[in-house]
Amino acid sequence: MADQQQLAERLGVTIDPETLRLALTHRSYAYENGGIPTNERLEFLGDSVLGFSVTGHLYEHYPHLPEGELAKRRAAVVSTRALARLAREIGVGEFILLGQGEIRTNGRDKSSILADTMEALFGATFLSSGLEPARELVLRLVLPLLVEVDDFGAGTDWKTSIQEAAAEHSLGAVQYEVTGEGPDHARVYHAVLHIGEATYASGTGHSKKEAEQEAAEASWKILRRDLDAKAAAKGA
């Protein structure tokens, strides 16, 4: 197991070693080691730190947006998918304490485990260093995602954004072609998005929903560029 303090260094924060270990203790590991405490209480705390930090930033920096649009932007960057993406970029998975069952089923790359651990790390930072360092950590990680949301849409999920755009521009039916491979305990799904007669991007995940979301996110960027180009051509 990698030295957990290396993770704190990657995050650029100070976390008490005992609190850091707790933040990285998944329930599967706790169960196999005599029912020791898990990271779930820290996850609960970190969820509040995350929500407070993002909400405050959105309120301050988007004064022109109504409540509904602010809520959509917040949902887009505090979702399981967004948090798991951050965790993968940082390399959180290698530090998580997992039970043998989760290790065998590639738990270090499961979006739900990664997202929950990110929230626990936010909570651990709050306990060890206080609110401001925890808020700064959240915003340092999340602000690039907010820039993407501004560029590519702020739906509560990418599938919703795709569905709404297809309906608004009469592009045809939205369909996901999903296939799976591998044994049941480590199955990987691949999804390809079709809108009307057009084929867009593909996505991969450990569940059908995750694969479809990844395909929708990649397709949304392509779709937006296509629609913008058509609008520009009409206005020329």
Side-chain angles (χ1 to χ4, degrees):
M1 175 59 63
D3 179 5
Q4 293 177 345
Q5 282 302 319
Q6 293 179 9
L7 176 57
E9 293 172 6
R10 290 183 192 178
L11 293 171
V13 296
T14 300
I15 303 177
D16 172 76
E18 185 176 342
T19 305
L20 178 57
R21 181 178 177 83
L22 180 59
L24 295 168
T25 302
H26 187 257
R27 62 178 176 271
S28 62
Y29 180 89
Y31 176 78
E32 291 183 9
N33 287 270
I36 62 176
T38 76
N39 65 0
E40 291 175 350
R41 283 171 54 84
L42 279 177
E43 175 196 336
F44 172 78
L45 177 62
D47 176 67
S48 294
V49 173
L50 172 65
F52 170 81
S53 301
V54 173
T55 300
H57 176 85
L58 290 170
Y59 184 86
E60 182 178 355
H61 289 85
Y62 294 82
H64 60 290
L65 290 182
E67 181 272 340
E69 289 300 316
L70 294 175
K72 286 183 179 181
R73 278 169 169 72
R74 180 177 60 191
V77 298
V78 304
S79 66
T80 294
R81 177 173 176 75
L83 293 176
R85 172 182 165 183
L86 292 176
R88 291 188 180 101
E89 291 174 353
I90 297 165
V92 171
E94 65 182 286
F95 298 94
I96 303 174
L97 298 173
L98 294 172
Q100 291 303 309
E102 286 291 354
I103 291 174
R104 285 194 298 270
T105 58
N106 199 26
R108 299 193 190 283
D109 194 47
K110 288 183 179 177
S111 292
S112 59
I113 292 177
L114 290 171
D116 291 347
T117 303
M118 282 304 304
E119 290 182 336
L121 288 167
F122 294 147
T125 303
F126 171 77
L127 283 185
S128 294
S129 299
L131 178 58
E132 190 55 28
R135 190 183 72 85
E136 289 176 356
L137 172 63
V138 168
L139 293 181
R140 175 156 39 88
L141 296 177
V142 167
L143 287 185
L145 300 183
L146 279 173
V147 172
E148 289 188 12
V149 168
D150 284 341
D151 289 343
F152 298 117
T156 54
D157 61 58
W158 299 108
K159 291 178 68 175
T160 299
S161 295
I162 288 286
Q163 197 71 44
E164 291 176 348
E168 179 181 352
H169 297 278
S170 302
L171 300 178
V174 176
Q175 295 181 315
Y176 294 87
E177 180 184 348
V178 182
T179 57
E181 62 182 13
D184 289 343
H185 68 275
R187 199 158 182 78
V188 176
Y189 293 90
H190 305 279
V192 179
L193 174 62
H194 305 279
I195 305 177
E197 300 298 320
T199 299
Y200 284 82
S202 61
T204 302
H206 292 289
S207 68
K208 292 180 180 179
K209 181 178 180 181
E210 187 177 341
E212 289 175 355
Q213 284 283 9
E214 187 170 297
E217 179 179 356
S219 298
W220 172 253
K221 298 175 184 181
I222 298 170
L223 178 59
R224 272 294 301 273
R225 284 193 284 266
D226 289 349
L227 292 174
D228 289 345
K230 289 180 180 179
K234 282 185 178 181

